[in-house]
Amino acid sequence: MRYLKLHVGDAALVELDANQMRSRRITLYDGPIESVLMRDLGPLETTTRLYGEVWTSGPQAVVRYYKAHPPDGDEVPICAVARLSEDQMRKRPESKPGTAILDGSMASAVVVNAFR
């Protein structure tokens, strides 16, 4: 993260799923995800794509980001997670196995030093 001059706790608003932007309710599926930065995150500018993985087996969706692709640059490794306070990553009760239905399409992408 030093290469990008990012620090643990740095965060920016992100659309969780590039295919469901600005939706009131979205469905995330276990597996790969492509998100879009809606604000700059250090040197990563707005519209940078974040690529990662989604897990839906627990009560909340878990999203971990492994790489970023700026609009006019090369892919770079990143270590970040999607977070929302007040349980807003909590799955809706009607979520089926392998999916997470969420109220809203946005979260924060937060830089971390390791996945736990």
Side-chain angles (χ1 to χ4, degrees), residues 32 59 72 91 100 110:
D72 294 325
K91 299 180 335 187
V110 181

Side-chain angles (χ1 to χ4, degrees), residues 17 22-23 39 44 47 77 79 87 90-91 95 100 104 115:
D17 186 341
R22 294 188 171 83
S23 297
R39 301 276 187 271
L44 300 173
T47 72
C79 189
D87 284 338
R90 184 167 294 280
K91 299 180 335 187
S95 299
F115 298 123

Side-chain angles (χ1 to χ4, degrees), residues 13-16 26 38 83-84 88-89 104-108:
L13 195 61
V14 65
E15 278 281 357
L16 287 167
I26 66 169
M38 301 307 288
R83 287 198 179 135
L84 268 177
Q88 292 183 24
M89 294 289 285
S105 63
M106 300 183 99
S108 291

